Each structure stands twice: as structure tokens, then as C-alpha cells.
């Protein structure tokens, strides 16, 4: 345990690890402190041994875009030396339909090609050409702007085109995706198809930012991929680079407090390892928090150190919905049952606002009724590593749905997750078991007979997520990406106190794998610039 470092980083999610690798690569003494027993935050797997063998299940990384050669994600990793023999092999999913939307009377496969996507939309909705092209016009503008933004200084012709596209984005900066679709179409089926990936950010159409939804869609149109070896390989590679560059990572070392002296962050105090032990302190020139944004300031820093204006901003923020996941081992060849290397989004109807309303309001019995699910299989996405994902002859399948993360809706109180007190709640276990049955039933509905082939089952709730990541309301999406809480409405990397910086899903770089990595790089660059300015 170091007594002092240049940068103390709270949390080893991908943003914290990327920042650590960037800073260590510039010669700074960096230490990362993590409450969990593995580095990576949401980009980890957990291991389970059963009578059939060993499983590895993904927590939050199920597919990634822009991983093609020269894509933004490999380019980011190459900046910290994860390339060549150290690089990560990204396996392409079914590029003719990496996402499959399943409605009661309609199936739609989303291809990794905008023109083919347009053709499929027009073939289903020939009378909606004008609205489809309006939607795709904004989508192409988002693709153009985000692509050029990563290429350095553009030429004059590019600037002129970028200006037109940037203006189109600016016009929709304050609209929700529901409002934007009102200008495109009234067809409920078409609207549902265009909104089908909303579970990737956990906010209903009437609340979600138009630009967030478009950015999410754009992310996959150069291809959808899964890392060979599972969702933890990125975190493992980054952690290895941090240590190779002289940094250190301290697992099972939760931070109790950010040390504030004279209005400045000067280090951290760790939670004691055992009752009666002293709480060790680590002094730091800079503290970077990759922990949950609200927890960082309400608990780790303490509101008494914050300006009143910043406290008011904290009180105005609200989180995205969370995820319930059922992890399954299925003793069957799911490919022969029709499952492909695609994600299946199954919905009971075409109204996504009602989907979220139903989930946020428990039934009279106190249970949570799902109205859809997301199904994916690491075994099928990464067949060469099938023995890693599940024992021989068994298929690794995950089924999940969007749910509220408020602890009281799960039969728990605030603080129960971290202390693991919820596991003694009969109501919690009843809600969890009922949702698990719903997920298996939905899987069986798409692939009949699968329920009888399940040989391993386990589920995780938002309280499970909060227990391991200490995220507010157990969400991995951070602040809800509403127009008010997106782009400039999201926090930047500089904290309200000198020496304090933040990164993670709630900052301007956004949630998800690419957002986390960009956020970590942005935080590192700001820390380095401020260090240079101070001399």
C-alpha cells in the first residue's frame, strides 16, 4: 500500500483503468482502489462451478460497436499499448442482423449497414419513406460528426459538411426521441422498430435524449462485435498495462472518504479491513473518482465540502433504470434450435413508454411484471471460446430486462445492498424468483423446449449490482440520458474542488464500453493539462 501517489483513482471500471494507464504511461505514480475482488466494474465476468463444470457469465459487456480494424475502440486501446500481440480479438456477430427485434406480429433484423437498414425499413413500411429518410438523415449526421470528431483537424470541405450536420444535431439537442419521432411518423410499428434498442440505455422514449438514441444506433452501423474470451478481457488487458507501467491496483480496498484539506482534495481514506483496525490513508496530488457520481459527492467527499450551487445540481439529477439478469446453462445445441450470434429483443407490444411504466409500478401482489426481454449467448457469439463460457455440451445464455432500481420496490431499504442485508428478505427473494421464471418463460417462448434443458440458473438484481459496484439504484447506465442530462447537461471531468476529478457513466463521455474508455482518457488528459499549467 503506497503512502502517497501522484493520482489516487477510486474504482477500477474501464474509465478508471484507462485513466490509470494513460497517466502511468506519462510517468505519474498511480494507484487504483477497488472495493470488488476483480478489476473492471461492469466489464467483468463471474465464475461458477456446477456439477457439469465451470461457467463464466458476463455482467455488462454483451456487444460493442466500432471494433473493426481502425475503429475507435481499437484505436483507444492502442494509445496505451494494447495492440499487436497484446491486442484484443473482436469477433464479429451476425452482421446481417446483430440485433433481432421480436414483436407480436413482426420480426426485424438490424444489419450493420445503414443502406441495407433503410431498404429493410422501406420494404416493411413503403408509405413511410419520408419519415424514414428524416430519421436516417439525423442518424447519418450523427455518424458523420462523431467520425470526424475523432480524426483531428478536418479540411475545409469536411468543415462545411460538418457544419450542416452539426446544425442538424443542434436543432435536436433538447428534444426527446419520442418528440423527434413525432416529426417522422405516427405508425406505431415503425416507431417501435426505430426504438427497439432502447434497453441499451434504460430510459423511455418520452424521456430519452434524441441525440443519445441516435448515437447508440450509430455506434453499431460499422459492425457489432464481442471480445474473444469474454467481456472481461478488456479490463484484464488494461489492468495488466497499468501494472506494467508502474501503477498499482488494490482490490478489496473500498474507499471510505476523500480527504479534503483547505478546500482541496489531498488523498483518500480507506475503509478498515476489520473492526477495530485503523483506516489507512493515502496522500495524493490528485484524486480521480470512477465511482458512482452521486455516491462520490454525497458520501465520499461529503456535502459539507461542496458549494451550495453544486449541491442543488446533485439534488436535481436522477438515474436511468436498471437491469435484471438471469444467467443460464442450457444443455442443448441452441444453434440447432434457431439461435444465432445476434441479440434478441422480445417485446409484448409496440408501446415502450408503457413498457417502462409497467416495470416501475409493481403489481398488486408487489411483484414486478416484465413486458419484454433481451436474450444473448456468449457461446454463440464466441464459439472458439465455448469451453470458457460453459461446460462442454452446454450453452451459456443470458436473459435480461429493464427494471426499476429503487430498493423499496425490491423489499429493501437504502443501504441494504452494500451490507448484503437484502438476502434475508422474503419479499426480495419472491420478486427475484418470479422475475427469473418470467425470463425463462420468455426464452422458451422464442425457442420452445429450452426451459426443460436448463441445467444451471442464477439471477442478479439491481441490488446485486449495487452490492458489487456501489452504484446508485443499481444502474450501470449512470444518470438518465434525458435532454437535460445529456452532453453539456452532464458533469464534466473536473470536480467542484481543486485536485478532484471524476469519470464514469454519468459524465459527458456517456455510458457503455466506448463511453467509459473515452471518459477515462478525457480525465487523464485534463489532469495532465492542469498539471502542466500549474508547472
Amino acid at each position: 500500500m503506497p503512502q502517497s501517489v501522484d493520482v489516487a483513482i477510486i474504482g477500477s471500471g474501464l474509465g478508471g483503468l484507462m485513466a490509470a494507464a494513460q497517466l502511468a504511461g506519462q510517468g505519474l505514480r498511480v494507484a487504483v482502489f477497488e472495493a470488488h475482488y476483480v478489476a473492471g466494474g461492469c466489464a467483468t465476468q463471474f465464475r461458477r462451478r456446477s456439477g457439469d463444470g465451470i461457467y463464466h457469465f458476463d455482467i455488462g459487456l454483451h456487444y460493442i460497436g466500432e471494433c473493426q480494424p481502425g475503429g475507435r475502440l481499437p484505436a483507444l486501446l492502442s494509445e496505451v499499448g494494447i495492440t499487436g500481440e497484446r491486442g484484443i480479438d473482436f469477433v464479429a456477430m451476425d452482421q446481417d442482423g446483430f440485433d433481432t427485434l421480436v414483436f407480436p406480429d413482426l420480426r426485424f433484423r438490424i444489419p450493420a449497414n445503414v443502406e441495407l437498414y433503410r431498404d429493410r425499413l422501406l420494404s416493411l413500411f413503403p408509405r413511410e419513406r419520408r419519415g424514414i429518410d428524416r430519421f436516417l438523415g439525423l442518424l447519418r449526421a450523427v455518424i458523420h460528426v462523431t467520425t470526424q470528431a475523432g480524426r483531428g483537424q478536418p479540411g475545409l470541405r469536411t468543415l462545411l459538411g460538418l457544419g450542416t450536420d452539426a446544425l442538424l444535431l443542434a436543432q435536436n439537442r433538447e428534444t426527446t426521441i419520442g418528440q423527434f419521432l413525432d416529426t417522422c411518423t405516427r405508425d406505431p410499428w415503425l416507431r417501435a422498430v426505430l426504438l427497439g434498442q432502447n434497453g441499451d440505455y434504460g430510459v423511455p422514449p418520452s424521456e430519452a435524449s434524441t441525440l443519445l438514441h441516435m448515437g447508440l444506433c450509430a455506434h453499431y452501423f460499422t459492425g457489432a462485435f464481442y471480445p474473444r474470451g469474454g467481456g472481461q478481457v478488456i479490463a484484464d488487458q488494461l489492468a495488466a498495462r497499468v501494472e506494467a507501467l508502474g501503477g498499482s491496483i488494490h482490490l478489496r480496498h473500498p474507499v471510505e472518504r476523500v480527504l479534503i484539506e483547505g478546500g482541496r482534495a489531498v488523498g483518500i481514506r480507506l475503509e478498515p479491513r476489520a473492526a477495530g483496525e485503523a483506516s489507512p490513508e493515502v496522500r495524493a496530488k490528485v484524486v480521480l473518482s470512477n465511482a458512482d457520481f452521486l455516491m462520490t459527492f454525497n458520501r465520499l467527499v461529503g456535502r459539507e465540502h461542496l458549494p451550495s450551487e453544486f449541491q442543488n445540481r446533485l439534488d436535481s439529477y436522477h438515474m436511468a433504470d436498471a437491469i435484471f439478469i438471469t444467467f443460464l446453462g442450457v444443455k442443448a445445441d441452441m444453434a440447432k434450435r434457431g439461435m444465432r450470434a445476434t441479440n434478441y429483443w422480445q417485446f409484448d407490444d409496440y408501446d415502450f413508454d408503457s413498457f417502462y411504466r409497467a416495470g416501475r409500478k409493481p403489481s398488486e401482489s408487489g411483484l414486478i411484471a416484465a413486458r419484454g426481454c433481451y436474450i444473448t449467448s456468449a457461446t454463440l457469439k464466441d464459439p472458439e471460446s465455448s469451453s470458457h463460457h460453459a461446460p462442454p455440451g452446454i450453452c451459456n445464455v443470458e436473459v435480461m430486462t429493464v427494471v426499476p432500481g429503487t430498493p423499496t420496490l425490491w423489499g429493501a431499504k437504502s443501504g441494504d445492498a452494500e451490507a448484503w442485508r437484502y438476502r434475508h428478505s422474503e419479499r426480495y427473494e419472491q420478486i427475484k424468483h418470479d422475475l427469473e421464471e418470467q425470463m425463462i418463460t420468455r426464452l422458451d417462448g422464442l425457442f420452445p423446449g429450452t426451459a426443460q434443458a436448463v441445467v444451471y440458473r442464477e439471477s442478479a438484481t439491481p441490488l446485486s449490482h449495487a452490492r458489487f459496484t456501489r452504484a446508485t439504484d443499481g444502474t450501470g447506465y449512470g444518470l438518465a440520458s434525458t435532454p437535460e442530462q445529456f452532453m453539456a447537461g452532464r458533469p464534466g471531468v473536473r470536480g467542484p474542488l481543486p485536485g478532484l476529478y471524476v469519470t464514469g457513466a454519468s459524465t459527458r463521455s456517456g455510458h457503455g464500453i466506448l463511453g467509459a474508455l473515452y471518459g477515462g482518457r478525457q480525465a487523464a488528459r485534463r489532469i495532465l493539462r492542469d498539471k502542466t499549467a500549474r508547472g
Side-chain angles (χ1 to χ4, degrees):
M1 182 67 62
Q3 292 185 337
S4 65
V5 292
D6 292 319
V7 185
I9 299 177
I10 306 170
S12 68
L14 292 188
L17 291 175
M18 171 57 85
Q22 295 264 353
L23 294 167
Q26 295 300 312
L28 274 66
R29 291 172 300 146
V30 177
V32 182
F33 300 90
E34 171 59 51
H36 197 9
Y37 56 76
V38 63
C42 292
T44 59
Q45 293 185 317
F46 70 90
R47 184 174 185 259
R48 288 290 184 267
R49 181 184 294 275
S50 75
D52 296 296
I54 296 173
Y55 296 88
H56 290 89
F57 292 107
D58 288 303
I59 300 299
L61 195 163
H62 300 103
Y63 67 142
I64 325 173
E66 303 183 63
C67 298
Q68 73 281 8
R72 288 201 293 166
L73 199 141
L76 271 174
L77 294 175
S78 70
E79 290 181 8
V80 292
I82 300 177
T83 186
E85 292 184 359
R86 289 200 197 100
I88 296 168
D89 186 11
F90 292 101
V91 184
M93 294 172 62
D94 185 346
Q95 302 301 283
D96 191 52
F98 60 87
D99 275 334
T100 301
L101 311 180
V102 183
F103 298 99
D105 305 299
L106 171 68
R107 279 199 179 210
F108 187 89
R109 302 183 71 221
I110 301 178
N113 181 290
V114 176
E115 294 308 317
L116 181 55
Y117 180 58
R118 179 179 183 271
D119 291 343
R120 289 183 181 175
L121 290 172
L122 288 175
S123 68
L124 274 176
F125 307 100
R127 297 182 180 180
E128 298 290 336
R129 179 182 297 270
R130 184 174 179 180
I132 290 170
D133 284 338
R134 177 171 173 76
F135 179 89
L136 293 177
L138 182 55
L139 177 65
R140 289 189 178 101
V142 168
I143 293 172
H144 185 207
V145 170
T146 54
T147 301
Q148 296 303 323
R151 291 184 177 175
Q153 189 68 31
L156 177 60
R157 180 176 297 178
T158 300
L159 281 172
L160 291 173
L162 193 60
T164 302
D165 286 336
L167 179 61
L168 186 56
L169 267 61
Q171 292 171 348
N172 290 281
R173 185 178 57 191
E174 298 181 358
T175 64
T176 67
I177 186 61
Q179 290 170 332
F180 176 71
L181 285 182
D182 287 343
T183 70
C184 298
T185 180
R186 296 289 181 179
D187 187 309
W189 287 23
L190 175 57
R191 291 171 70 96
V193 169
L194 298 176
L195 291 167
Q197 297 160 299
N198 66 83
D200 279 339
Y201 49 80
V203 183
S206 59
E207 301 174 17
S209 160
T210 296
L211 298 186
L212 176 277
H213 180 82
M214 290 296 186
L216 182 280
C217 293
H219 178 56
Y220 295 105
F221 274 116
T222 54
F225 302 84
Y226 180 78
R228 191 179 307 283
Q232 196 171 316
V233 295
I234 299 176
D236 286 348
Q237 291 272 26
L238 282 171
R241 286 300 292 157
V242 170
E243 293 178 332
L245 292 166
S248 59
I249 299 172
H250 305 272
L251 303 177
R252 291 191 173 98
H253 279 77
V255 173
E256 182 177 72
R257 199 78 169 174
V258 175
L259 300 177
I260 307 295
E261 295 178 2
R264 180 183 182 86
V266 296
I268 59 169
R269 182 171 67 241
L270 299 168
E271 292 182 5
R273 301 302 298 271
E277 286 190 6
S279 300
E281 294 185 354
V282 179
R283 308 293 288 190
K285 296 175 182 176
V286 166
V287 175
L288 169 63
S289 179
N290 185 215
D292 174 83
F293 184 80
L294 296 185
M295 173 173 277
T296 294
F297 293 103
N298 287 325
R299 176 171 161 180
L300 300 183
V301 174
R303 294 175 70 95
E304 67 274 15
H305 297 295
L306 302 174
S308 57
E309 182 181 349
F310 191 83
Q311 291 185 42
N312 292 334
R313 286 183 62 193
L314 282 179
D315 293 337
S316 71
Y317 288 134
H318 65 280
M319 311 303 284
D321 281 16
I323 297 293
F324 176 92
I325 312 180
T326 294
F327 308 96
L328 299 172
V330 180
K331 197 165 189 176
D333 187 337
M334 294 305 293
K336 289 184 177 178
R337 296 188 179 209
M339 186 177 282
R340 306 173 63 147
T342 180
N343 304 307
Y344 295 89
W345 300 83
Q346 181 271 323
F347 304 106
D348 292 350
D349 57 43
Y350 302 87
D351 183 353
F352 290 122
D353 279 301
S354 68
F355 173 95
Y356 282 85
R357 283 196 302 270
R360 291 172 176 177
K361 184 179 180 180
S363 63
E364 292 182 2
S365 64
L367 302 177
I368 296 173
R371 296 184 61 180
C373 71
Y374 168 100
I375 301 169
T376 192
S377 169
T379 301
L380 294 180
K381 290 182 294 189
D382 181 21
E384 290 188 18
S385 307
S386 60
S387 61
H388 170 79
H389 300 298
I394 297 177
C395 190
N396 172 319
V397 178
E398 297 181 0
V399 191
M400 59 202 82
T401 192
V402 177
V403 292
T406 309
T408 54
L409 296 177
W410 293 87
K413 299 188 296 292
S414 178
D416 281 357
E418 194 173 321
W420 206 12
R421 288 189 294 265
Y422 62 87
R423 71 187 190 279
H424 299 304
S425 166
E426 290 184 9
R427 183 182 170 200
Y428 170 80
E429 289 297 334
Q430 182 185 15
I431 296 170
K432 177 181 176 182
H433 176 75
D434 182 73
L435 269 172
E436 183 176 282
E437 290 296 327
Q438 290 183 53
M439 295 302 99
I440 294 174
T441 298
R442 289 179 181 277
L443 172 66
D444 194 72
L446 263 64
F447 303 99
T450 301
Q452 297 177 354
V454 171
V455 293
Y456 182 87
R457 56 195 284 173
E458 180 175 353
S459 293
T461 71
L463 293 181
S464 312
H465 190 97
R467 174 190 165 203
F468 288 106
T469 69
R470 305 194 174 188
T472 300
D473 290 345
T475 179
Y477 297 134
L479 296 177
S481 293
T482 62
E484 299 78 20
Q485 295 186 166
F486 191 59
M487 297 181 71
R490 252 170 145 68
V493 297
R494 269 183 175 155
L497 303 175
L500 181 61
Y501 299 81
V502 293
T503 189
S506 292
T507 57
R508 288 176 192 165
S509 58
H511 72 279
I513 303 304
L514 192 62
L517 293 172
Y518 263 112
R521 182 180 75 164
Q522 184 180 0
R525 289 185 173 185
R526 173 52 65 186
I527 290 169
L528 292 169
R529 284 197 296 268
D530 289 352
K531 178 178 181 293
T532 301
R534 290 193 304 270

